[in-house]
Amino acid sequence: QTVCKEAGRYLDAMAEEKNMRFDDLRSFWIQFQQIAFNAARAIKLHSQALLDAIEMGDKAKSLQEIQTALSAIAECFPKAGQFAGGEKKLVEQVRKYVEENLDQTLSVNDVAAALFMNADYISRVFKNETGTPLKEYIIQRKMESARLLLTTTELPVSVIASKLGYDNFSYFSQVYRRCMGITPSDERKKKK
């Protein structure tokens, strides 16, 4: 819902700023439908209505028709307070998404965008249900995965950092030490 509203505002702003060409609309639509498909896949949403709304946007010839398709897409996704199965189901989806994407740079905003939801809402629900802030949960899961790789493989620490979405080795080491109370190198030495 929020994403579709923002997309509508973006289109309105584009229309006010310049003569919007059909190519601009087409380009916007192609990008937006990819977001919609990714969000649907993330929450395992299989909906004929979604496919119909996408097709409506594909056939659109005007700004109004694109905006109508945006509204139709928004209706296909659960509302923030009515996530399929409630808050516990949302927490399960968040955990699943985090597990499947530990190898990516991952923030609360990334998780929210993937689930087509508001970041503040997801954070609040996750903390209420688990007692752990989502940002901390993401870091903790990454560091637990790092510990497993450090103790069960011979991969260099820099490669492990990279595998978990950390491009900055020094930052990875700092985060690991803060979470685990030991440096990655010392963790590796304990194994021997």
Side-chain angles (χ1 to χ4, degrees):
Q1 292 280 337
T2 303
V3 171
C4 289
K5 285 179 188 170
E6 288 300 318
R9 285 190 199 113
Y10 171 78
L11 286 174
D12 289 341
M14 268 180 71
E16 286 176 18
E17 281 181 23
K18 61 179 181 174
N19 278 341
M20 190 184 310
R21 299 180 335 233
F22 182 73
D23 289 347
D24 296 332
L25 275 177
R26 179 95 339 286
S27 175
F28 168 83
W29 182 253
I30 289 168
Q31 292 173 359
F32 188 83
Q33 72 176 311
Q34 189 60 48
I35 291 168
F37 278 129
N38 288 341
R41 188 179 318 119
I43 63 171
K44 299 205 179 321
L45 175 69
H46 304 288
S47 163
Q48 184 59 46
L50 177 62
L51 295 176
D52 293 344
I54 297 282
E55 186 177 347
M56 182 189 314
D58 287 343
K59 293 178 179 175
K61 302 257 189 276
S62 70
L63 175 60
Q64 275 186 307
E65 289 175 356
I66 291 282
Q67 289 174 321
T68 301
L70 284 174
S71 295
I73 285 176
E75 292 304 314
C76 297
F77 288 88
K79 311 293 182 278
Q82 305 167 334
F83 194 85
E87 294 178 344
K88 288 187 185 342
K89 180 73 173 172
L90 174 57
V91 169
E92 288 172 28
Q93 291 291 334
V94 167
R95 283 184 167 146
K96 184 176 190 304
Y97 184 80
V98 169
E99 288 305 312
E100 291 173 353
N101 292 280
L102 285 174
D103 61 337
Q104 304 294 315
T105 302
L106 200 55
S107 70
V108 172
N109 286 336
D110 296 328
V111 174
L115 298 179
F116 222 55
M117 299 190 86
N118 178 281
D120 292 334
Y121 175 75
I122 283 183
S123 294
R124 188 172 55 253
V125 169
F126 193 88
K127 172 100 191 270
N128 289 344
E129 290 292 313
T130 67
T132 304
L134 179 53
K135 181 178 178 179
E136 285 181 31
Y137 175 77
I138 292 168
I139 292 169
Q140 189 64 37
R141 286 300 304 125
K142 282 181 173 276
M143 295 306 110
E144 288 168 1
S145 186
R147 176 178 274 166
L148 182 65
L149 290 169
L150 286 165
T151 58
T152 62
T153 73
E154 296 299 323
L155 291 171
V157 177
S158 59
V159 171
I160 291 172
S162 182
K163 283 177 82 60
L164 293 168
Y166 288 89
D167 295 330
N168 183 327
F169 170 73
S170 147
Y171 178 68
F172 167 77
S173 293
Q174 290 172 8
V175 173
Y176 191 90
R177 183 179 183 139
R178 185 170 34 99
C179 285
M180 300 303 196
I182 188 172
T183 67
S185 301
D186 289 342
E187 187 79 70
R188 168 71 47 83
K189 288 176 193 166
K190 274 178 31 180
K191 172 184 146 181
K192 296 178 180 178

